[in-house]
Every structure is written in structure tokens, then in C-alpha cells.
Amino acid sequence: MTALDNNVPAHVDPDDVSINPSNNPSIGDVVAQRVELSRRGMLMGTAAAAALTFVGAPLLSRDAVAQGAAPAAAPAAGALKRPTQLGFRAVAKSLADTVSVAEGYSASPLFRLGDPMAANIPAYKNDGTDAAATYAMRAGDHHDAITYFGMDANGRYSTSSTRGLLAMNHEAITPAFLHPTGPTLTGTGADQKRTVADEVMKEYYAHGVAVVEVEKAANGGWSYKQDSRFNRRVTTLTPIALSGPAAGSPMMVTKFSPQGTQTRGTLNNCANGYTPWNTYLTCEENTAGYFRRIVATDDPKRSDKEKRALARYGVAGTGRELWATMAPDTADNIHGRWNAEVTGATAADDYRNAPNTYLWTVEIDPFTPDAMPKKRTAMGRFAHEGSWLGPVVAGRPLVWYSGDDSRGEYIYKYVTTANWDPADANRGAAAGDKYLDSGKLYVAKFNADGTGEWIELRFGSPQINATTPGYAFTDQADVLIHARLAADAVGATKMDRPEWGAVDPVNGQVYMTLTNNNASVRSLAALDAANPRHYNDKRVNGTNQYGNSNGHIIRWQEANDNAASTTLRWDIYLFGARAGTDPQNVNLSGLTAENDFSSPDGLWFSNATGVCWIQTDDGAYTDVTNCMLLAALPGGVGDGGAQARRTVTSTNADGQTREMATIVGAPAGDKVRRFLVGPYDCEITGITETPDGKTLFVNIQHPGEGSPAASIGDPSKFLSHWPDGGMSRPRSATIVITKNDGGVVGV
Ligand code: FEO
Ligand code: CA
Ligand code: CA
């Protein structure tokens, strides 16, 4: 099922799609303004920028944090000083099938695919023969985002750095390794079918979220507690409430929930977030591809409006894992629910609307294992990478930032209606209903002059209403369910695949990785100041690869340092590149052998140290190195000073060129350093820490994913045997990283 080839570890990324057909004016069309802008000297650090210095209201005090604000809440303003130096020597790039970590540190696996999470579950055999039902309480596959919640002796949130709950996402699966000889399939092409129910059930369980208790022993070693009462799996089979403005919409009605108030399961859980009341947010990314909808069969049964929405969200095809084809189905349509075609008399008789019940931010209370999770529809429906909490300030709205991870999609933020009351920190998920069911959803527009705007997606606005060209919105539920279409209508800026965001605890500025883009979506004509590069990078097989092959990291400062502001100023913090490439047009951040990277994905700030951690999910630099984790000490928006304003010349495969003005942060220098390189053919994604900063938990996803499926019986052909070694099947896993002298990591 995974496209596998003997020689090329082709990571076929389902995110590698672009289905944004909007012709929003590229801000690069204003290239003629470039000369004018530079003449006016609109450099960061000028008077306009000075007017935006940090004047925000005081953030939460240390006491408020200790009383149970967020698991990694931003410290009080001014309380955290970033060090001036990183405290380790860079790790070399590597193609070894192992985890290489900086000298003086140790990294060891803690929680691997299939590890048992209840007393009666046997150890994982990892040969495909583990009973399907046991997967309901095993670690899932493809570990992704992760958050540590400290826990006290009474099972409540605390700032403990020795006992806690890890909540983590299991985004997807490598099907070949879950079954004795890979997935059993019959037929070919569009008629290909699944036939073994146990295999499909394993796959349902292997997706979703795990909550698992972890503990630090007196000798400093970490383990997870197999029989903890807090251990929990939320999978594609778990009933989940639909909450907020889109709950009960006719567009959410399914046979499972004729009232449109529930759905079954969560899926493709990518990045995450948390709340100041210590609940976990898991974000549903590219779920559309799991549904079966044969366009030629289904389109004639759909209205023009439905067809537009289905196309914009990419609901088309046979379904990534072919789950809808599993027959016979169960009485409650465990398998048939993946068929998004019109098959019944009404929406309450089939699953035509099932795709609308995914792509949300989902709230899970890790401290209440029997509580039903809630999909928070006020935060909008798109391929959420994650939902990242902005600075928490008493008396102000709370803000979460999100990116939509597909090529050419947008950056969003959600601003609560209610102002933050620190007394809500101990109310658990009840606080979620107050803050996450009512708010405003905005989308970002990045202007060529280094400013930007947040544009509200509100039904009844001049661009979003019943007469919007191409899509007649019905109500706010329709706007939230089809946030991409609303964002198209207001002219949001198409980005180079937004992955993770992170909020700097030192100054509240927001960073977001734009992992890469291809030549067709980011053509020369489509360049803009915030996505300014198109160049050649050779991939592992030597094929020329044009576009923004190595990605970049954008950052912004909200006006008045108020996360709820509707204007901002931005620059580009780092550009991914190979060391030694053209410093004027490709390697704009001056990366060297100690810190060159490609395709930034995971991004996270330590609230203990202020170190920014960057993780990669790359397919462009894999001839030289496996994916990696880097540590960085950023300055802030405008730290490029007099060198910030640049003109980048891009060249496409036909030799045509185009100049684009952009705004670049300070060179990486020794403030960015490679800390860890993962095993072969993996992605490094997901990172969290204990509050004392002495333990990092990092996820290693899909080592050896590109192994030849046809050779599943010949382990010598597996591309990775990590973490168990020998001739074992590779496993995604959480690793624990500590400093050998017991100190704080990274500094
Ligand atoms: Fe699941 Fe956007 O990576
Ligand atoms: Ca990702
Ligand atoms: Ca990625």
C-alpha cells in the first residue's frame, strides 16, 4: 500500500498535494513595488518597528503557572532569559541507522509501536501476528506530536518533572509492518479490496492518540507504566462529540449521528497543542484521503455547492488504506463509514458527510480517562497541523495559531470570545466549553512590505456570504466547515505548506515552518515576499527538483505584542538549504556543515530555556543525511537589521528568472546547531519536556518506511531495524533524551 521501491526510500507523503485552485493575487505580483519599498527604507528595526516594542500586559505570574496554567505555559514576561550560547557541540550529518545525539547526552527508546498499555496485554512480537484486539491497548504507529503533563500523587496536574502523562499522536501507519506479510488485498486498480477484518481492525487501532503514564526512577532512567489507570487510547473507533457552532449542522449529519452532534474516531493526528486548563489538543491533518469517493459515480448525485466543497478539500479516490472496501461490514458500519459517496435516501442514511466530521482540533482531558473527547468546531476545519497557544494573559482573549498543511494553504488563528480568567485553570474540560466553542477565526495575509493582516472568517462579511462567487455560504457553521473556501474569498496568502508553529516564551513572537513546495504550486509567477524562493535542489536519485525544495521558517510579531491583534510584522527567520549553495539566492541564512537542514517540520520552544527546537521531515537532502533535530537561539523579528531587505533571484527548470524582495532574519551563525540525527528513513517529529528542562521526549516516526514491501519476508532488505536492532522490523518510538550530568538539556 505504501509506495515502496528497492532503491529509493520514497517517502510518499499524502500531504504532498495541492488542491487550492483559488487565484488569490500573489503578493509577488507587486514585485514592481520592490524598488519603491527599498527606497523608503522599510527595514525592520526602523521607527515603525520600534513602535511595536513589547508593551503587552503582564503575562501570568510564576505563581499562576504553578497553580496549574498550561503544561508548558509561557513564563511571566521578562522571567525567562535566553542563553547566548548553545551548550553542546554540533552532531555531524549521518546516514546511519541509529540515533546520533550530541556528546554528553543519552537517548533511549521509551514507548515503541505495539508496546502494551494494560496489564493483560502481552509483549509485542512485532512479526505481524499480535492479535488485532490487543491493539486497542498498545502504542499506535507513526508517533507524532507529544505533550508532557506533570502529575501529582492524587492524579492531578502538577509541575512534577519525575511523574507525568505523555499524550501523543499516532498519525498514520506503515501497513507492511503491521501484518505477517503486509496487507492482504484482492483485485486491482479501483476494484482493489481489503478482505481480512483483523488487519483492518489493527489499522483502526494503530491510529489516533495515546495517553500513557511515565515515571523517572531514582537512577534517572525513565519508564512507562504498563498498568496505569490513566493509560488510554483514542482511536478511529472512539465516539467523539462535535462541539461548537458547527455541531448539529445539516452538513455534519451521518448515519452514526443523525443529529450531527457526534462522530466516530479521530485520524491523521499530526501536531498538537494544549490549553491553560491542562487538556490536550490533537489536530486532524490530511484525513480526506482516507475516504472512498469515486468522483464519476458520486458527483452526479451532488449539488454544485457540494462538488465545489469536496474538490476543495480533496475528497476523491479509493481511500488511502481502502478501508471502505472491507466486506462484510458490521451492523454499525465500522468499515462502510469510510465510503463518502451518496448511497442512501438522506444524509442520515449514509456517510456522505463523514469527511466533514474530520479535520478538526480535538480536545482530550488526559486526567479523566473516561471523558469523551470533543472536536472544537469554532477553530475551523482544514488540514490542521497543530493548534499552538499564544501568550496567556489574564483579562485578554486566548489565542491559538494553526497551519493548514497542504501545498499553497494558509495560516490561521483562533481568538476566544471569553477573556482568560486564571481561575479556570483548574476546571478541566469544562473550561474548554467556555473558551473553545466561541471565538473568531482569522486567516493570515502577508504583505510585501513586511506587514501583515489577520482577516476574520465571518459569515455576513462583504466577501463571505450567500453571494460569494463560487460558493454560497449558508451560515457560520458552513464557514467553519469550509474554512478554506472562506479564506480563499478574503485573499489569504498561499504558503509553502505550513507545518508546525511555536510561540517564543521570551517575547511572544510566533514562528511557523513552511516545510517545502514544488515547482508547480510555487512557480516563478507564484512567488511572493513571504514565500520567495524557487531553485534547484538535487534529490537522492539525482533528479532535479525545483520549487522551494528545502523550506523556510517565517515568524511574526503581533501589533502591540497582543496576540489578538489584527495586524503584524514578519520576517523569515531561517531558510533551509545545503551548506555551500548560493548564499545570495538559496542559502540565505548562511547555513554551514554544523547546521544545514532541509524541510523544517516540527518546531517548539522550551519554556525552561527559551531554546527553539527544529525538527525535519525531509526528502530533498536525504542523499546526505537522515532527518534531524536542531537547537536554535533566535533573536526576533527584524534582527536582520540593515541586511534584512534582500532581493532573491529565482531560476526555474526552463532557465527563466524572477527577482523577489523579501525580509531575512540574522544569519544562523553559531546560534543554530544540529543536536540529533535520527535512524534511516525516519521523520523527527514531536517534542516536549519536563518543566525542569532536564528531560526531552522526542518522537521518531516511520524509520525504514520505504522498505520494499515485496520483500517483507526478507528482513535483510528492510531499510531500518531501529530501535530493536538485529533483523527486527523497525518501529516508530518515543525516545528520552537526558544530559549525562543530569543538567538542563541544550544549554
Ligand atoms: Fe503530519 Fe504536516 O505533517
Ligand atoms: Ca508534520
Ligand atoms: Ca512533513
Side-chain angles (χ1 to χ4, degrees), residues 242 246-264 302 306 337 339-342 345-358 360 477 481:
L242 299 170
S249 160
M251 295 175 182
M252 299 288 243
V253 167
T254 60
K255 191 175 173 186
F256 179 71
S257 177
Q259 284 73 45
T261 52
Q262 280 192 17
T263 187
R264 193 160 32 186
R302 298 285 195 163
E306 285 178 302
R337 65 189 165 123
N339 182 356
E341 294 183 16
V342 173
T346 72
D349 300 307
D350 60 26
Y351 290 88
R352 72 186 69 174
N353 287 331
N356 292 344
T357 70
Y358 287 84
W360 301 102
I481 294 168

Side-chain angles (χ1 to χ4, degrees), residues 244-245 378-379 414-418 432-440:
M379 301 172 86
Y414 170 75
V415 179
T416 62
T417 302
D433 296 340
K434 174 177 175 182
Y435 294 98
L436 299 181
D437 283 346
S438 176
K440 293 179 178 176

Side-chain angles (χ1 to χ4, degrees), residues 148-166 211-215 225 228-231 366-368 691:
Y148 175 90
F149 296 86
M151 186 164 72
D152 67 15
N154 298 315
R156 298 203 190 97
Y157 171 77
S158 83
T159 55
S160 172
S161 288
T162 57
R163 182 189 181 214
L165 301 176
L166 288 175
V211 178
V212 62
E213 184 178 342
V214 293
E215 206 163 18
K225 194 175 174 196
S228 169
R229 71 183 174 94
F230 293 98
N231 289 352
F367 296 96
T368 314

Side-chain angles (χ1 to χ4, degrees), residues 13-15 144 171 268-271 283 285-286 383-386 403-406 497-500 515 601-602 617 683 685 701:
D13 190 336
D15 312 347
D144 206 316
E171 183 182 29
N268 210 243
N269 305 83
C270 192
C283 295
E285 195 193 40
N286 286 290
H384 282 271
E385 181 72 20
D404 182 352
D405 180 4
S406 284
R497 277 188 67 192
E499 290 266 13
W500 285 53
T515 193
D601 190 325
D617 171 21
E683 163 182 353
T685 182
Q701 186 181 110

Side-chain angles (χ1 to χ4, degrees), residues 38-55:
S38 61
R39 189 184 309 130
R40 281 156 51 196
M42 292 190 66
L43 301 172
M44 288 306 153
T46 58
L52 292 175
T53 49
F54 192 78
V55 294

